[in-house]
Amino acid sequence: MTNKPQLCRLLSQPALPLLSTERDINIGAIFSIHISALLKIFSLREFKFAQTLIFAIEEINNNTQLLPGVSLGYKIYDSCGSIAQAIFSGMALMNGYEETLSDTSCSRPPAVNAIVGESNSSPTIALASVVGPFSLPVISHFATCACLSNRKRFASFFRTIPSDYYQSRALAQLVKHFGWTWVGTVRSRSDYGNNGIAAFEEAAKQVGICIEYSETILRTDPQEQFLKTLEVIKKGTAKVVLAFVALRDFFPLVNVIAQHNITGIQWVGSESWITSRTIAETKEYSFLSGAVGFAIANAKLVGLREFLVNVHPDQEPNNELLKEFWEIAFQCSFRISSNGGCTGSEKLAELQNEYTDVSELRIANKVYTAVYAIAHTLHNILKDFKSSNSSKVERPTPQKYMRDVRFTVKTGEDIFFDASGDPVARYDLVNWQPAGNGGLQFKHVGVYDSSLPSEKHLQVNQENVLWAGNSGQLPVSVCSETCPPGTRKAVQKGRPVCCYDCIACAEGEISNGTDSSDCFPCDLEYWSNESKDRCVLKMVEFLSYTEIMGMVLCIFSFIGVLLTAMVSFLFYLHKETPIVRANNSELSFLLLFSLSLCFLCSLTFIGRPTEWSCMLRHTAFGITFVLCISCVLGKTIVVLMAFRATLPGSNVMKWFGPLQQRLSVVSLTLIQVIICVIWLTISPPFPYMNLSYYREKIILECNLGSALGFWAVLGYTGMLSILCFVLAFLARKLPDNFNEAKFITFSMLIFCAVWLTFIPAYVSSPGKFTVAVEIFAILASSFGLLFCIFAPKCYIILLKPEKNTKKQMMGKS
């Protein structure tokens, strides 16, 4: 692109095509061969597009299969980068370019059957709006604005390049693929940039990408605007910048960036500039190394280079455009005959510039495809027109036929249009990498194909990508670091959703992935591990034989059994002595037996609760203790009866002899047995996993089944204990050297005190401690009975045998 101080044609003058050849059927075209409407800046790229269109037309004219017997002509206009000039050129292509209109100007057919152009979205929108109502197809090779897919506004618009609707989503998917969730954007202040970024922002929001800033630029902006944009980029924390910018708008920005030596930014580009050789081959723009973006798929057009280098001003001596092109290409002038003048003998084949380079024909191929789309449409029209009665059929319009056209070009690409006039979106993913000459080259590193299943749309060969600063390390661009498993994201107040703090999951909750938005509670039987990233089975708690507390209780239980056995053995050896025979030795041995059972029943409370152990522990406890209390109660009554029997004329002992004592013990115990049977029949205890007391562990315990049954057993035992205590208390001061009632009173006092304190401790103790409290109560009351009742007798038997006589027992000297 080189400046040429020559003014464009004024809009008030007749518009003439810069390149034209009229034949049987003519095609119109509009390119921005000169970029500025005032100062003409010649674009080698746009001139190349125009020559590619002529090449395609000549190729079609030489094809006997396509449009046989019909030759195509062309009229190529220059819009000078102006929307108004593009509209003016479109009107000229419809009506012709006479200075005055006649009566037939509006009734005759258009001067062309279709228009190829424009290269930018905004002029194309204006052009399609003007010619659309006349059903004249406009087919663009480079206008990508998604708004042009609106069939209500642009019914006759088609294009051979994919819509930015697909490119914007492809860019969002690309950014997400590389893990960049915090990006800045720069866009052209035009239809192309505004609509492209709007579609990108919508797609980015859906995949969790946040935009830190969104700057707009236009090539006509003052220097201060570009400096302001540069300052925003410098202050931003995003390491990735998406530039959805038209090529001509991008030049001023990269110039400013180069002047201020800004590096380290990962650039993501739109197809407008991502394959621009003018930028890539400029050494000052080496900071763009590592840039990635989607480009239109490249193609090879056989014979195009030969056609391009054969262009010469001598082909049309009166064509000023060809002379201007020649002067731009060789930096010479036909107005100078001496040094620096153009001779016409210069050879384009020896030049290496944007015009002669055919290694990147991405957009030129879309011009080529557009011409073939028009040709195939015209071919189908003529075919149908000839096969029908032409006198009865209305003149067909290319617009209707172009909707259904489908063909394959010689590059192998299948061409057709969808309901919106768009082709299938296929892109090459290109990466800018250093070239040997100090510039940059385009490296193909992936593809995007919208015709494939959604999970296969984007395919990236990441190993071949070179990142910003020529680094092989993928840059990181996030507002907040990734939250590891075991944490959740908490959005920072007043900031985008990508800016968050990582909060550890609460106890019992987990997150097993990175950047989790929520922590999820574990199931009832599970609990979170220490790192909060996995649910593990909760620890099951019960009083075990293997733990210290269980061992200690077992030892005390066995000690109690051992002591009881020793007392029983001692009593058996001295069974004929007065102290053993006193107060019914049979009840004493039965009491010792029941105490052994009381000590042993505590063992049923230790270990993993099962269905049988749950039923056994409470019933065995209830029955053995009632048996024990019944024996004590019997002994207490015997003491009272014995005192009554010493009174003159008393015959009370015959009513409470040995038989009655046995019956009383059996009957009192039988009542407890009946209560237990009823309890086990109606609602027996059962193993129960208590999940509510502790969140982090399971308490495996015995559910009472029927609380009424449990408290009935306990209440009956308590009632007998209180009765026994009252009777023993009344008999404590009866005259006798060895009054057993006082020891029974003390033992029952201990028994009642233990079980009265047991109730609140039992209710309030958690988990295995509930069982431990119950075992402690059993052992404490059992040891109380054993020591209070039998320790004094053992003391006399072992240490004071002289007191073990009938006289001593009767209190006689």
Side-chain angles (χ1 to χ4, degrees):
M1 221 171 342
T2 310
N3 293 348
K4 176 80 175 172
Q6 179 180 345
L7 292 175
C8 269
R9 185 183 308 278
L10 295 176
L11 295 181
S12 60
Q13 295 180 353
L16 295 173
L18 297 182
L19 298 169
S20 67
T21 297
E22 296 199 34
R23 295 186 179 121
D24 299 336
I25 301 176
N26 296 312
I27 297 175
I30 303 175
F31 299 104
S32 295
I33 297 175
H34 296 94
I35 293 177
S36 174
L38 297 176
L39 281 176
K40 296 177 69 178
I41 303 174
F42 194 93
S43 171
L44 290 176
R45 184 175 75 159
E46 293 288 318
F47 185 74
K48 182 179 180 179
F49 292 163
Q51 292 300 323
T52 303
L53 180 137
I54 298 172
F55 166 75
I57 288 176
E58 296 301 331
E59 192 175 75
I60 291 167
N61 287 337
N62 294 327
N63 188 341
T64 58
Q65 301 298 320
L66 187 60
L67 289 174
V70 177
S71 60
L72 291 178
Y74 54 88
K75 296 180 181 182
I76 301 175
Y77 279 79
D78 181 9
S79 68
C80 290
S82 166
I83 294 176
Q85 191 70 24
I87 295 173
F88 196 69
S89 301
M91 297 294 290
L93 286 171
M94 285 195 297
N95 301 321
Y97 38 84
E98 294 87 354
E99 291 189 47
T100 58
L101 295 176
S102 64
D103 293 337
T104 60
S105 294
C106 293
S107 60
R108 66 190 178 191
V112 294
N113 286 275
I115 298 175
V116 176
E118 221 259 7
S119 296
N120 297 296
S121 293
S122 293
T124 305
I125 291 170
L127 177 64
S129 299
V130 170
V131 304
F134 300 96
S135 299
L136 182 64
V138 175
I139 180 166
S140 177
H141 57 285
F142 208 10
T144 57
C145 180
C147 58
L148 285 164
S149 298
N150 187 340
R151 265 307 185 234
K152 292 182 179 180
R153 286 185 62 194
F154 310 107
S156 61
F157 176 77
F158 300 86
R159 52 184 158 196
T160 53
I161 190 169
S163 163
D164 282 338
Y165 173 86
Y166 298 103
Q167 183 187 191
S168 298
R169 276 153 180 75
L171 287 169
Q173 196 170 340
L174 178 71
V175 170
K176 184 65 176 179
H177 175 82
F178 292 133
W180 302 326
T181 58
W182 188 238
V183 299
T185 64
V186 180
R187 70 180 187 274
S188 292
R189 200 181 308 112
S190 62
D191 293 302
Y192 171 74
N194 292 336
N195 285 280
I197 283 296
F200 171 79
E201 289 179 352
E202 181 184 347
K205 187 177 180 181
Q206 294 173 357
V207 294
I209 298 170
C210 298
I211 297 173
E212 182 181 13
Y213 55 83
S214 185
E215 290 293 299
T216 61
I217 57 173
L218 200 62
R219 61 184 177 277
T220 56
D221 285 342
Q223 182 81 353
E224 291 75 15
Q225 178 61 39
F226 290 100
L227 289 173
K228 180 184 174 184
T229 299
L230 178 63
E231 196 63 27
V232 171
I233 294 173
K234 285 170 60 178
K235 290 182 177 179
T237 58
K239 303 298 182 185
V240 175
V241 177
L242 169 65
F244 212 104
V245 183
L247 179 62
R248 280 174 276 174
D249 296 334
F250 198 49
F251 277 109
L253 179 62
V254 292
N255 283 332
V256 170
I257 294 174
Q259 291 169 11
H260 289 77
N261 194 26
I262 305 300
T263 59
I265 295 175
Q266 177 62 51
W267 290 91
V268 179
S270 61
E271 99 294 325
S272 177
W273 64 268
I274 201 65
T275 53
S276 171
R277 286 209 171 273
T278 306
I279 296 178
E281 292 175 356
T282 304
K283 295 181 181 179
E284 289 76 12
Y285 302 154
S286 60
F287 61 85
L288 291 173
S289 177
V292 292
F294 289 109
I296 304 306
N298 205 356
K300 287 186 177 181
L301 298 178
V302 179
L304 178 61
R305 177 172 168 78
E306 291 73 16
F307 182 85
L308 293 176
V309 298
N310 284 331
V311 172
H312 198 280
D314 290 346
Q315 294 172 349
E316 296 183 45
N318 296 326
N319 193 308
E320 293 297 322
L321 181 66
L322 294 180
K323 290 180 181 179
E324 183 184 357
F325 159 69
W326 201 264
E327 291 175 346
I328 295 297
F330 293 103
Q331 295 294 299
C332 64
S333 175
F334 284 106
R335 297 175 182 82
I336 303 174
S337 56
S338 58
N339 289 340
C342 296
T343 63
S345 61
E346 297 87 359
K347 294 185 182 299
L348 284 172
E350 297 176 357
L351 285 181
Q352 184 62 36
N353 58 20
E354 190 172 13
Y355 175 76
T356 59
D357 180 25
V358 293
S359 64
E360 293 288 335
L361 296 176
R362 301 176 190 275
I363 308 304
N365 178 52
K366 298 305 175 184
V367 177
Y368 178 86
T369 305
V371 176
Y372 266 87
I374 295 171
H376 278 275
T377 300
L378 294 172
H379 180 87
N380 294 339
I381 290 173
L382 294 175
K383 182 179 177 182
D384 289 353
F385 192 68
K386 289 177 182 179
S387 63
S388 62
N389 187 350
S390 58
S391 62
K392 295 182 180 180
V393 178
E394 294 182 2
R395 181 180 179 275
T397 58
Q399 172 190 343
K400 296 178 181 178
Y401 279 81
M402 192 169 285
R403 294 172 185 168
D404 302 322
V405 72
R406 185 161 192 162
F407 61 96
T408 302
V409 291
K410 65 180 181 181
T411 59
E413 186 178 3
D414 187 26
I415 304 299
F416 61 93
F417 302 106
D418 63 16
S420 300
D422 297 325
V424 172
R426 295 188 183 93
Y427 297 101
D428 285 346
L429 180 62
V430 296
N431 178 222
W432 289 27
Q433 300 185 4
N437 58 2
L440 299 170
Q441 62 180 342
F442 309 133
K443 181 80 171 179
H444 183 275
V445 293
V447 294
Y448 181 89
D449 191 341
S450 64
S451 64
L452 297 176
S454 58
E455 65 275 5
K456 295 182 180 179
H457 280 176
L458 179 64
Q459 300 173 35
V460 182
N461 187 3
Q462 196 163 322
E463 294 77 12
N464 295 333
V465 179
L466 191 67
W467 305 105
N470 299 326
S471 169
Q473 184 69 32
L474 174 68
V476 177
S477 186
V478 294
C479 182
S480 300
E481 291 297 324
T482 299
C483 287
T487 62
R488 64 173 178 84
K489 296 190 296 184
V491 177
Q492 296 172 1
K493 189 176 182 180
R495 303 199 68 190
V497 294
C498 298
C499 302
Y500 48 81
D501 297 316
C502 297
I503 308 297
C505 291
E507 294 291 333
E509 296 183 347
I510 65 156
S511 65
N512 54 8
T514 57
D515 283 340
S516 180
S517 299
D518 292 298
C519 295
F520 304 99
C522 295
D523 291 338
L524 286 176
E525 295 183 13
Y526 291 84
W527 193 249
S528 55
N529 59 357
E530 288 187 9
S531 56
K532 308 283 195 319
D533 60 356
R534 190 163 55 91
C535 287
V536 295
L537 280 170
K538 287 182 179 179
M539 182 182 70
V540 179
E541 181 184 88
F542 57 89
L543 187 59
S544 170
Y545 289 106
T546 57
E547 60 181 295
I548 295 176
M549 185 163 58
M551 290 180 181
V552 170
L553 293 174
C554 282
I555 290 170
F556 275 102
S557 177
F558 286 122
I559 290 174
V561 173
L562 181 63
L563 289 175
T564 306
M566 291 172 63
V567 170
S568 299
F569 181 71
L570 183 64
F571 270 44
Y572 181 77
L573 292 178
H574 299 83
K575 61 183 178 180
E576 299 301 331
T577 61
I579 200 166
V580 175
R581 295 183 62 186
N583 204 354
N584 196 336
S585 61
E586 186 176 332
L587 285 181
S588 297
F589 282 108
L590 186 58
L591 177 58
L592 287 170
F593 172 72
S594 63
L595 282 173
S596 300
L597 294 180
C598 287
F599 284 119
L600 290 174
C601 81
S602 63
L603 298 177
T604 61
F605 288 83
I606 305 175
R608 189 182 189 91
T610 62
E611 187 174 347
W612 285 104
S613 68
C614 285
M615 289 191 292
L616 179 64
R617 62 172 59 171
H618 289 102
T619 53
F621 150 73
I623 294 171
T624 55
F625 261 83
V626 165
L627 177 62
C628 181
I629 299 301
S630 299
C631 293
V632 175
L633 182 61
K635 292 174 75 66
T636 306
I637 295 173
V638 167
V639 172
L640 287 172
M641 294 300 106
F643 176 73
R644 292 279 184 182
T646 59
L647 297 176
S650 177
N651 197 24
V652 72
M653 283 304 296
K654 72 176 182 179
W655 299 108
F656 202 74
L659 178 62
Q660 287 80 8
Q661 294 171 24
R662 296 189 200 102
L663 288 175
S664 66
V665 171
V666 171
S667 59
L668 291 174
T669 306
L670 185 61
I671 294 173
Q672 183 75 306
V673 171
I674 294 171
I675 294 173
C676 290
V677 169
I678 295 173
W679 179 18
L680 295 179
T681 303
I682 297 175
S683 181
F686 59 90
Y688 170 68
M689 300 178 75
N690 190 335
L691 304 170
S692 58
Y693 202 94
Y694 292 108
R695 294 182 61 204
E696 70 278 8
K697 59 186 176 182
I698 300 172
I699 299 174
L700 187 58
E701 60 186 11
C702 286
N703 189 292
L704 296 176
S706 171
L708 179 63
F710 172 74
W711 291 110
V713 169
L714 205 62
Y716 180 68
T717 306
M719 183 190 71
L720 290 181
S721 303
I722 292 171
L723 177 62
C724 185
F725 171 73
V726 170
L727 294 178
F729 182 79
L730 294 175
R732 73 188 187 284
K733 292 185 178 181
L734 294 178
D736 200 341
N737 273 0
F738 192 83
N739 186 359
E740 198 175 21
K742 64 180 71 173
F743 302 116
I744 294 175
T745 303
F746 190 59
S747 68
M748 295 315 300
L749 184 63
I750 295 174
F751 185 92
C752 292
V754 167
W755 285 101
L756 284 174
T757 54
F758 158 78
I759 293 173
Y762 178 84
V763 172
S764 61
S765 298
K768 60 184 179 182
F769 298 104
T770 305
V771 179
V773 165
E774 194 165 357
I775 295 175
F776 175 79
I778 293 171
L779 294 178
S781 55
S782 300
F783 276 114
L785 289 172
L786 179 65
F787 283 112
C788 290
I789 295 176
F790 292 100
K793 294 183 178 181
C794 293
Y795 172 76
I796 291 174
I797 292 172
L798 295 175
L799 300 178
K800 299 289 184 177
E802 67 276 6
K803 292 185 177 181
N804 192 3
T805 62
K806 188 174 182 181
K807 288 183 179 182
Q808 287 291 327
M809 293 298 105
M810 298 300 294
K812 297 177 180 179
S813 54

mmCIF file of all heavy atoms in Angstrom, residues 720-734:
data_model
loop_
_atom_site.group_PDB
_atom_site.id
_atom_site.type_symbol
_atom_site.label_atom_id
_atom_site.label_comp_id
_atom_site.label_asym_id
_atom_site.label_seq_id
_atom_site.Cartn_x
_atom_site.Cartn_y
_atom_site.Cartn_z
ATOM 1 N N LEU A 720 -38.452 -51.780 93.127
ATOM 2 C CA LEU A 720 -38.019 -52.814 94.068
ATOM 3 C C LEU A 720 -36.854 -52.312 94.917
ATOM 4 O O LEU A 720 -36.760 -52.607 96.119
ATOM 5 C CB LEU A 720 -37.612 -54.076 93.304
ATOM 6 C CG LEU A 720 -38.734 -54.865 92.620
ATOM 7 C CD1 LEU A 720 -38.160 -56.104 91.932
ATOM 8 C CD2 LEU A 720 -39.809 -55.283 93.623
ATOM 9 N N SER A 721 -35.940 -51.525 94.300
ATOM 10 C CA SER A 721 -34.784 -51.008 95.042
ATOM 11 C C SER A 721 -35.239 -50.072 96.150
ATOM 12 O O SER A 721 -34.731 -50.136 97.289
ATOM 13 C CB SER A 721 -33.836 -50.272 94.089
ATOM 14 O OG SER A 721 -33.431 -51.111 93.038
ATOM 15 N N ILE A 722 -36.170 -49.189 95.814
ATOM 16 C CA ILE A 722 -36.665 -48.229 96.821
ATOM 17 C C ILE A 722 -37.392 -48.972 97.951
ATOM 18 O O ILE A 722 -37.215 -48.665 99.142
ATOM 19 C CB ILE A 722 -37.591 -47.195 96.145
ATOM 20 C CG1 ILE A 722 -36.779 -46.302 95.198
ATOM 21 C CG2 ILE A 722 -38.294 -46.337 97.191
ATOM 22 C CD1 ILE A 722 -37.641 -45.406 94.329
ATOM 23 N N LEU A 723 -38.208 -49.976 97.595
ATOM 24 C CA LEU A 723 -38.913 -50.769 98.609
ATOM 25 C C LEU A 723 -37.922 -51.463 99.539
ATOM 26 O O LEU A 723 -38.082 -51.477 100.772
ATOM 27 C CB LEU A 723 -39.816 -51.794 97.926
ATOM 28 C CG LEU A 723 -40.580 -52.750 98.837
ATOM 29 C CD1 LEU A 723 -41.545 -51.981 99.763
ATOM 30 C CD2 LEU A 723 -41.355 -53.792 98.017
ATOM 31 N N CYS A 724 -36.905 -52.018 98.928
ATOM 32 C CA CYS A 724 -35.885 -52.712 99.709
ATOM 33 C C CYS A 724 -35.158 -51.741 100.627
ATOM 34 O O CYS A 724 -34.874 -52.043 101.806
ATOM 35 C CB CYS A 724 -34.896 -53.387 98.768
ATOM 36 S SG CYS A 724 -33.674 -54.401 99.593
ATOM 37 N N PHE A 725 -34.860 -50.525 100.077
ATOM 38 C CA PHE A 725 -34.166 -49.518 100.879
ATOM 39 C C PHE A 725 -35.022 -49.084 102.078
ATOM 40 O O PHE A 725 -34.523 -48.952 103.194
ATOM 41 C CB PHE A 725 -33.835 -48.318 99.985
ATOM 42 C CG PHE A 725 -33.312 -47.123 100.739
ATOM 43 C CD1 PHE A 725 -32.023 -47.130 101.263
ATOM 44 C CD2 PHE A 725 -34.105 -46.008 100.944
ATOM 45 C CE1 PHE A 725 -31.546 -46.036 101.964
ATOM 46 C CE2 PHE A 725 -33.624 -44.922 101.644
ATOM 47 C CZ PHE A 725 -32.348 -44.930 102.155
ATOM 48 N N VAL A 726 -36.309 -48.902 101.863
ATOM 49 C CA VAL A 726 -37.211 -48.459 102.933
ATOM 50 C C VAL A 726 -37.291 -49.515 104.036
ATOM 51 O O VAL A 726 -37.184 -49.211 105.243
ATOM 52 C CB VAL A 726 -38.608 -48.139 102.374
ATOM 53 C CG1 VAL A 726 -39.617 -47.920 103.505
ATOM 54 C CG2 VAL A 726 -38.535 -46.918 101.486
ATOM 55 N N LEU A 727 -37.469 -50.780 103.641
ATOM 56 C CA LEU A 727 -37.570 -51.850 104.639
ATOM 57 C C LEU A 727 -36.266 -52.018 105.401
ATOM 58 O O LEU A 727 -36.264 -52.213 106.628
ATOM 59 C CB LEU A 727 -37.957 -53.159 103.959
ATOM 60 C CG LEU A 727 -39.378 -53.198 103.332
ATOM 61 C CD1 LEU A 727 -39.615 -54.534 102.646
ATOM 62 C CD2 LEU A 727 -40.443 -52.961 104.420
ATOM 63 N N ALA A 728 -35.147 -51.936 104.669
ATOM 64 C CA ALA A 728 -33.848 -52.085 105.337
ATOM 65 C C ALA A 728 -33.600 -50.930 106.289
ATOM 66 O O ALA A 728 -33.023 -51.099 107.377
ATOM 67 C CB ALA A 728 -32.747 -52.166 104.289
ATOM 68 N N PHE A 729 -34.038 -49.728 105.875
ATOM 69 C CA PHE A 729 -33.864 -48.553 106.722
ATOM 70 C C PHE A 729 -34.657 -48.705 108.027
ATOM 71 O O PHE A 729 -34.189 -48.324 109.101
ATOM 72 C CB PHE A 729 -34.311 -47.311 105.955
ATOM 73 C CG PHE A 729 -34.119 -46.031 106.722
ATOM 74 C CD1 PHE A 729 -32.856 -45.439 106.802
ATOM 75 C CD2 PHE A 729 -35.193 -45.423 107.368
ATOM 76 C CE1 PHE A 729 -32.694 -44.266 107.518
ATOM 77 C CE2 PHE A 729 -35.009 -44.242 108.075
ATOM 78 C CZ PHE A 729 -33.760 -43.663 108.148
ATOM 79 N N LEU A 730 -35.871 -49.284 107.921
ATOM 80 C CA LEU A 730 -36.690 -49.490 109.117
ATOM 81 C C LEU A 730 -36.080 -50.531 110.052
ATOM 82 O O LEU A 730 -36.265 -50.467 111.268
ATOM 83 C CB LEU A 730 -38.109 -49.921 108.706
ATOM 84 C CG LEU A 730 -38.934 -48.863 107.955
ATOM 85 C CD1 LEU A 730 -40.261 -49.469 107.518
ATOM 86 C CD2 LEU A 730 -39.168 -47.637 108.841
ATOM 87 N N ALA A 731 -35.340 -51.495 109.489
ATOM 88 C CA ALA A 731 -34.794 -52.605 110.307
ATOM 89 C C ALA A 731 -33.353 -52.354 110.726
ATOM 90 O O ALA A 731 -32.744 -53.233 111.350
ATOM 91 C CB ALA A 731 -34.884 -53.900 109.509
ATOM 92 N N ARG A 732 -32.794 -51.168 110.419
ATOM 93 C CA ARG A 732 -31.361 -50.958 110.640
ATOM 94 C C ARG A 732 -30.968 -50.938 112.129
ATOM 95 O O ARG A 732 -29.833 -51.233 112.492
ATOM 96 C CB ARG A 732 -30.917 -49.674 109.968
ATOM 97 C CG ARG A 732 -31.389 -48.402 110.687
ATOM 98 C CD ARG A 732 -31.094 -47.157 109.865
ATOM 99 N NE ARG A 732 -31.389 -45.935 110.602
ATOM 100 C CZ ARG A 732 -32.585 -45.450 110.832
ATOM 101 N NH1 ARG A 732 -33.656 -46.116 110.402
ATOM 102 N NH2 ARG A 732 -32.750 -44.327 111.515
ATOM 103 N N LYS A 733 -31.933 -50.569 113.027
ATOM 104 C CA LYS A 733 -31.599 -50.416 114.452
ATOM 105 C C LYS A 733 -32.201 -51.517 115.318
ATOM 106 O O LYS A 733 -32.332 -51.367 116.520
ATOM 107 C CB LYS A 733 -32.066 -49.052 114.943
ATOM 108 C CG LYS A 733 -31.281 -47.901 114.344
ATOM 109 C CD LYS A 733 -31.682 -46.569 114.937
ATOM 110 C CE LYS A 733 -30.854 -45.428 114.360
ATOM 111 N NZ LYS A 733 -31.232 -44.128 114.953
ATOM 112 N N LEU A 734 -32.599 -52.598 114.672
ATOM 113 C CA LEU A 734 -33.122 -53.720 115.460
ATOM 114 C C LEU A 734 -31.995 -54.304 116.315
ATOM 115 O O LEU A 734 -30.858 -54.412 115.868
ATOM 116 C CB LEU A 734 -33.702 -54.801 114.550
ATOM 117 C CG LEU A 734 -34.959 -54.378 113.753
ATOM 118 C CD1 LEU A 734 -35.398 -55.519 112.867
ATOM 119 C CD2 LEU A 734 -36.089 -53.967 114.698
#
